[in-house]
Amino acid sequence: METIEKLDVTVLEPRMKHPTIFQWFDKLNGGEAFVIHNDHDPKPLYYQLLGERGNIFKWEYLLQGPEIWEVRISKLTPEEGETVGELVAKDYRKAQVFKKYGIDFCCNGKKSLKQACEEKGISQEQLEQELNAMPEKTAETSRGNEYDKWELGFLGDYIVNMHHSYVREAIPALYEYTTKVARVHGGRHPEVIEVAKHFVNVANELESHMPKEERVLFPFIKQMEEAKKNGVKLDRPAFGSIQNPINMMEMEHESAGGEMEAIRKLTNDFTLPADACATYRVMFSKLEEFENDLHRHIHLENNVLFPKALELEKEVLK
């Protein structure tokens, strides 16, 4: 049986924790791993590692609290291929295939096809056949990929005007539907009480999340774009690298996405019970519409806007 080294993070000085973990990771060869032992969930490290090293590792929880957390971090071999998010960024129609198999292309889009298939226990060969069987793109079907060509400031404005506006309009009605259905049908269908709780969580998450993008992150991306056009260099902002707010936004995206995934599971993929009233039907229809919009919204940020903003930062910061 292979012996894997364990790094006890609890004995390190706080300022040395992440640098030491990065040193250990950088020494690994493809296929090798080590375990980190900690006294709290090291999830922020996952995003830092993803941001600074890219999709070249696998993150597996061995212990998940409440007192001890252990994570096995493996370095992937180079032939892992394109990520799920990159495939959807090139052709948004592929999102439908990933949805069919329950593969998250937005919040967890940085996983390789191989990784995503292994985690879901599905055949990579079969999935690739379906992805490749799509008809050639026409002018009409290519419209979903125009985002890739847009200027970043314009893409940020589009996300705010289309997706943030939609979320703000949809939340009050969905609060009303989920609360009413929980009150009327909760006795016979206790799952709708849980649905209402999860919707409150996703609404609270997004209502605190969107202003941060609108006031801090998106304006800075516009500032970087202007600097590039004018051939000037910018001072490093107060938040350091743009990677820091992006890490936070991606954590919040994953949290919101997880709440919607819980709703989908509780409702058995929005399958209506025989005694569903009109409000029950509207609630399911609106929740599914909300989830579809959220997937496209997060995809545009995680897989298109953020990677390009990180590349732009390298060109314009002093």
Side-chain angles (χ1 to χ4, degrees), residues 22 94 152 302:
F22 271 74
K94 289 183 175 170
L152 299 191
N302 284 14

Side-chain angles (χ1 to χ4, degrees), residues 139-266:
E140 185 62 29
T141 59
S142 294
R143 284 175 64 192
N145 304 307
E146 284 174 7
Y147 312 117
D148 204 37
K149 303 181 188 82
W150 289 353
E151 290 189 347
L152 299 191
F154 184 79
L155 178 56
D157 287 343
Y158 174 85
I159 289 166
V160 171
N161 287 297
M162 292 296 291
H163 296 292
H164 289 194
S165 294
Y166 168 80
V167 168
R168 288 187 173 109
E169 284 170 21
I171 280 174
L174 270 166
Y175 263 139
E176 194 180 319
Y177 295 137
T178 52
T179 306
K180 184 177 177 183
V181 171
R183 189 177 68 245
V184 176
H185 295 272
R188 285 192 308 281
H189 300 286
E191 70 277 4
V192 294
I193 297 170
E194 294 305 309
V195 165
K197 289 177 188 169
H198 283 293
F199 185 73
V200 167
N201 293 344
V202 77
N204 289 346
E205 183 76 71
L206 291 170
E207 283 174 333
S208 70
H209 169 90
M210 295 185 298
K212 288 182 256 187
E213 292 183 333
E214 292 166 8
R215 292 171 195 162
V216 180
L217 185 55
F218 291 1
F220 184 68
I221 290 173
K222 277 187 179 175
Q223 207 182 329
M224 290 198 301
E225 206 162 45
E226 283 303 307
K228 185 181 176 181
K229 281 179 191 170
N230 298 325
V232 297
K233 294 284 185 184
L234 292 176
D235 289 322
R236 194 163 282 277
F239 49 72
S241 166
I242 199 174
Q243 185 72 63
N244 295 320
I246 283 175
N247 286 350
M248 185 186 283
M249 295 303 100
E250 288 187 341
M251 283 178 80
E252 291 175 3
H253 286 164
E254 187 171 341
S255 176
E259 297 291 347
M260 290 308 297
E261 191 180 344
I263 288 173
R264 182 171 274 282
K265 281 182 182 163
L266 282 164

Side-chain angles (χ1 to χ4, degrees), residues 23-165:
Q23 279 173 7
W24 277 50
F25 179 76
D26 290 339
K27 285 180 191 166
L28 296 177
N29 294 315
E32 293 179 344
F34 69 101
V35 171
I36 56 172
H37 173 97
N38 206 5
D39 55 9
H40 62 272
D41 187 353
K43 196 62 186 268
L45 171 74
Y46 168 84
Y47 291 97
Q48 191 184 351
L49 200 55
L50 198 55
E52 296 185 22
R53 295 295 182 271
N55 181 50
I56 61 166
F57 66 94
K58 188 173 183 182
W59 178 275
E60 299 166 276
Y61 283 103
L62 305 177
L63 292 171
Q64 285 186 273
E67 275 129 36
I68 297 168
W69 298 76
E70 289 194 348
V71 179
R72 176 188 164 113
I73 301 174
S74 321
K75 187 177 275 188
L76 301 176
T77 50
E79 68 275 2
E80 295 289 322
E82 284 182 301
T83 67
V84 170
E86 285 167 347
L87 289 165
V88 177
K90 285 182 183 171
D91 185 351
Y92 193 78
R93 297 175 305 158
K94 289 183 175 170
Q96 291 306 320
V97 180
F98 290 128
K99 277 186 184 179
K100 174 182 165 184
Y101 287 99
I103 292 173
D104 179 356
F105 63 88
C106 49
C107 305
N108 289 298
K110 292 186 173 78
K111 288 179 178 169
S112 67
L113 210 53
K114 181 180 175 186
Q115 238 180 309
C117 290
E118 280 176 359
E119 287 175 15
K120 285 286 175 185
I122 60 179
S123 157
Q124 185 178 345
E125 190 182 350
Q126 185 184 338
L127 183 66
E128 284 178 345
Q129 278 175 359
E130 289 195 38
L131 291 169
N132 296 332
M134 291 192 152
E136 286 295 306
K137 284 192 280 186
T138 62
E140 185 62 29
T141 59
S142 294
R143 284 175 64 192
N145 304 307
E146 284 174 7
Y147 312 117
D148 204 37
K149 303 181 188 82
W150 289 353
E151 290 189 347
L152 299 191
F154 184 79
L155 178 56
D157 287 343
Y158 174 85
I159 289 166
V160 171
N161 287 297
M162 292 296 291
H163 296 292
H164 289 194
S165 294

